[in-house]
C-alpha cells in the first residue's frame, strides 16, 4: 500500500513541476506579447503624430516625383533649388493647395484621432499586467532597441573589415535586419557598403551589376534621409563607379560627374576622412589620362568637360596618406605612378617600395571604369 501511495505522490509531484513550467512559459509569453503590443501602439502613435504635423504645415505641400530612378541629389550637374514658396514644381500649387475650411476640419479630426491614440496606448499599458511602470516601459523599450541597433552596426563594421566570407556574413546580417532598421540612415549606408563588398568579391558580370544597382538604391535612400551623411555620399559615389563598369562610355562619363560631386560633398562634411581624398585622387588620375575618344565624348555631353592633372591626383593621394599613413596599398601605388608621370623616378621607386610593405587587399574599391 505504501509503495502505491509513493508512486501516486511521485506522479502528482511531476505534474505539479510540469504545470509550474507551463505557467512560467505562459507568463513570459504574456510579458513578451505585452511589450510587442506597447511597441506597435507606440510606433503607430508616433506615425500618426508625424502625419498630423505634416498636414498642419502652413505652406503648400511639395510634390514628390517618383517616376525617375534618381532623386534631386543625383544630377550630374548641380542646379539651384527653387525657393519660391508661391508655386511648387510643375505649377501644382492649385492642385495641392488646401482651403482654410479643409485644414480646419482636418485639424479637428486629427486632434480627435490623437486623443483616441493616446487612450489606446494607456489601455494597452494597463492591460500589460502592470509588470512595470508606464514610463519605465517606454524608456526600457527605447534603450533596448538603441543598444541592439548599436551592436548590430558594430558587428557589421567588423565583418566589413574581414575576409570575403565575413563580408558575405555582414551582408546577410544587414539584409536580415532591413525590415526592422531600414528607415535609419546609418543602417542604409552600411547596407549600401555591403552591396559594394558583394559586387567586388562576386565573379559573374550580371551579379556584379545587380549588386551595384541594388547598393546604389540603398545609398540613395540613405541620402534621402538627410544630405549630411559623408559616408552616404562616399558609398553612393563608389557604387555609381561600380555600376558604370557595365555601361557605355557616355554613361561612364556621366557617372564620373556624379562621382566627383558626391566625393566633394563627403570631403566638405568630413574633411579628415582619408578615404574621400583617396577616391578623389584616383578620379583625378583617371581624368588626367583620358583618351581622345573619352575627351570628345565628355565635350559633346558637357560645355565644361572634367579637368584634372596628375599633380591634382598626387596632392589628394598624399593627403589621404597624411591623414592615415598606410591607409591604402593601391593609394601608395598610385602615388608612385604620379611621381613617375611627373618625372621623379627616385620618389616613384620609394613609394612603390612603401606600397610593397603593406598587405595585399584584393577588393580595394576600383573606380577606373568611371572614365575608361
Amino acid at each position: 500500500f505504501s509503495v502505491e501511495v509513493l508512486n501516486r505522490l511521485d506522479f502528482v509531484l511531476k505534474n505539479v513541476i510540469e504545470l509550474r513550467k507551463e505557467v512560467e512559459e505562459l507568463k513570459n509569453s504574456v510579458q513578451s506579447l505585452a511589450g510587442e503590443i506597447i511597441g506597435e501602439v507606440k510606433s503607430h502613435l508616433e506615425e500618426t503624430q508625424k502625419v498630423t504635423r505634416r498636414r498642419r504645415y502652413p505652406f503648400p505641400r511639395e510634390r514628390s516625383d517618383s517616376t525617375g530612378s534618381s532623386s534631386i541629389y543625383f544630377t550630374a550637374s548641380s542646379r539651384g533649388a527653387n525657393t519660391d514658396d508661391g508655386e511648387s514644381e510643375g505649377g501644382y500649387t492649385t492642385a495641392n493647395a488646401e482651403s482654410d475650411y479643409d485644414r480646419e476640419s482636418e485639424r479637428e479630426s486629427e486632434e480627435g484621432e490623437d486623443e483616441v491614440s493616446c487612450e489606446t496606448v494607456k489601455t494597452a499599458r494597463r492591460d500589460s499586467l502592470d509588470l512595470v511602470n508606464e514610463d519605465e516601459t517606454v524608456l526600457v523599450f527605447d534603450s533596448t532597441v538603441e543598444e541592439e541597433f548599436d551592436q548590430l552596426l558594430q558587428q557589421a563594421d567588423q565583418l566589413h573589415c574581414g575576409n570575403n566570407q565575413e563580408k558575405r556574413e555582414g551582408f546577410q546580417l544587414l539584409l536580415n535586419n532591413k525590415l526592422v532598421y531600414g528607415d535609419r540612415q546609418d543602417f542604409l549606408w552600411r547596407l549600401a557598403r555591403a552591396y559594394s563588398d558583394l559586387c567586388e568579391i562576386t565573379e559573374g558580370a550580371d551579379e556584379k551589376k545587380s549588386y551595384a544597382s541594388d547598393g546604389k538604391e540603398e545609398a540613395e535612400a540613405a541620402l534621402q534621409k538627410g544630405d549630411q551623411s559623408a559616408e552616404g555620399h562616399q558609398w553612393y559615389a563608389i557604387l555609381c563607379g561600380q555600376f558604370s563598369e557595365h555601361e557605355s562610355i557616355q554613361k561612364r562619363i556621366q557617372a564620373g560627374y556624379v562621382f566627383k560631386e558626391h566625393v566633394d560633398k563627403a570631403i566638405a562634411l568630413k574633411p579628415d576622412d582619408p578615404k574621400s581624398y583617396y577616391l578623389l585622387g584616383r578620379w583625378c588620375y583617371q581624368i588626367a589620362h583620358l583618351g581622345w575618344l573619352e575627351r570628345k565624348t565628355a565635350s559633346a555631353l558637357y560645355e565644361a568637360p572634367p579637368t584634372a592633372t596628375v599633380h591634382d591626383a598626387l596632392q589628394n593621394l598624399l593627403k589621404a596618406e597624411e591623414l592615415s599613413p598606410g591607409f591604402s596599398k593601391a593609394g601608395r601605388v598610385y602615388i608612385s605612378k604620379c611621381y613617375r608621370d611627373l618625372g621623379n623616378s627616385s620618389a616613384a621607386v620609394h613609394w612603390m617600395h612603401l606600397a610593397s610593405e603593406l598587405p595585399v587587399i584584393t577588393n580595394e574599391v576600383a573606380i577606373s571604369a568611371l572614365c575608361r
Side-chain angles (χ1 to χ4, degrees):
F1 177 78
S2 60
V3 174
E4 182 178 354
V5 171
L6 289 175
N7 289 336
R8 288 181 177 277
L9 288 174
D10 184 63
F11 176 79
V12 172
L13 182 60
K14 287 181 180 179
N15 286 333
V16 170
I17 293 174
E18 291 177 358
L19 182 60
R20 289 183 62 184
K21 289 182 180 179
E22 291 178 359
V23 170
E24 186 65 24
E25 291 175 357
L26 180 60
K27 179 182 176 182
N28 292 335
S29 299
V30 170
Q31 290 177 341
S32 176
L33 180 61
E36 292 177 3
I37 292 174
I38 292 171
E40 291 177 359
V41 173
K42 179 174 176 290
S43 299
H44 175 71
L45 176 59
E46 291 174 347
E47 184 62 26
T48 301
Q49 291 173 340
K50 288 179 182 178
V51 172
T52 301
R53 285 195 294 270
R54 287 198 296 269
R55 289 177 177 175
R56 289 178 182 175
Y57 196 68
F59 297 104
R61 292 173 293 185
E62 295 180 356
R63 182 175 65 92
S64 174
D65 186 1
S66 60
T67 57
S69 60
S70 299
S71 71
I72 59 172
Y73 295 113
F74 312 118
T75 53
S77 58
S78 299
R79 297 178 181 176
N82 182 6
T83 58
D84 182 8
D85 292 331
E87 183 176 356
S88 62
E89 180 185 0
Y92 277 75
T93 302
T94 303
N96 288 333
E98 298 173 331
S99 68
D100 293 338
Y101 174 80
D102 291 335
R103 284 195 294 270
E104 187 63 28
S105 299
E106 191 175 57
R107 184 179 300 112
E108 292 175 357
S109 174
E110 288 159 355
E111 288 173 353
E113 290 176 2
D114 288 346
E115 293 176 0
V116 173
S117 298
C118 291
E119 186 60 32
T120 302
V121 172
K122 293 178 181 178
T123 302
R125 290 172 176 168
R126 284 197 300 269
D127 292 343
S128 63
L129 304 181
D130 293 330
L131 300 175
V132 289
N133 180 272
E134 292 180 16
D135 294 335
E136 291 177 356
T137 301
V138 177
L139 290 174
V140 170
F141 178 77
D142 289 345
S143 62
T144 301
V145 170
E146 289 304 317
E147 183 178 351
E148 291 176 352
F149 181 60
D150 290 341
Q151 291 175 354
L152 174 67
L153 297 188
Q154 291 175 13
Q155 187 178 0
D157 290 342
Q158 292 173 357
L159 292 171
H160 165 69
C161 296
N163 56 35
N164 289 352
Q165 180 57 34
E166 289 172 321
K167 291 180 188 297
R168 291 188 180 93
E169 292 175 5
F171 171 75
Q172 195 61 49
L173 173 69
L174 292 170
L175 208 60
N176 291 344
N177 284 275
K178 184 177 178 180
L179 288 177
V180 181
Y181 302 114
D183 61 339
R184 301 200 181 197
Q185 188 175 59
D186 287 346
F187 177 89
L188 287 170
W189 71 254
R190 283 177 170 85
L191 180 56
R193 180 183 67 185
Y195 272 109
S196 176
D197 288 341
L198 267 292
C199 179
E200 286 294 320
I201 64 181
T202 299
E203 297 295 332
D206 290 340
E207 286 185 282
K208 282 180 174 291
K209 184 176 181 179
S210 177
Y211 282 130
S213 176
D214 292 344
K216 184 180 172 184
E217 289 181 4
E218 298 297 346
E220 181 177 352
L223 291 179
Q224 288 174 342
K225 298 293 181 182
D227 197 30
Q228 301 302 305
S229 170
E231 292 82 3
H233 286 292
Q234 268 186 0
W235 289 102
Y236 184 80
I238 291 169
L239 284 153
C240 280
Q242 291 175 320
F243 185 74
S244 72
E245 294 181 14
H246 310 277
E247 298 291 286
S248 63
I249 292 178
Q250 176 179 340
K251 291 186 177 179
R252 287 202 295 268
I253 293 294
Q254 292 172 337
Y257 274 86
V258 178
F259 183 95
K260 174 67 160 51
E261 176 187 348
H262 286 274
V263 170
D264 285 344
K265 287 182 179 180
I267 291 175
L269 291 168
K270 198 172 182 180
D272 59 347
D273 189 342
K275 187 179 189 68
S276 295
Y277 291 98
Y278 164 75
L279 293 173
L280 183 57
R282 289 286 304 273
W283 182 87
C284 289
Y285 190 86
Q286 296 299 329
I287 292 297
H289 289 81
L290 279 180
W292 178 86
L293 179 59
E294 288 82 2
R295 291 187 184 280
K296 286 295 183 182
T297 303
S299 298
L301 290 173
Y302 303 100
E303 294 181 0
T307 58
T309 65
V310 173
H311 182 72
D312 295 332
L314 178 61
Q315 294 305 307
N316 283 291
L317 293 167
L318 288 174
K319 180 66 175 180
E321 184 71 21
E322 175 189 337
L323 291 170
S324 179
F327 166 76
S328 166
K329 183 182 185 74
R332 288 185 172 181
V333 170
Y334 271 87
I335 290 174
S336 175
K337 289 183 177 182
C338 289
Y339 277 120
R340 179 200 63 192
D341 294 346
L342 293 172
N344 192 336
S345 300
S346 59
V349 172
H350 171 70
W351 279 98
M352 189 59 73
H353 176 71
L354 292 178
S356 66
E357 295 176 348
L358 296 178
V360 176
I361 301 177
T362 58
N363 59 339
E364 286 206 59
V365 175
I367 64 170
S368 57
L370 282 169
C371 307
R372 197 162 51 201

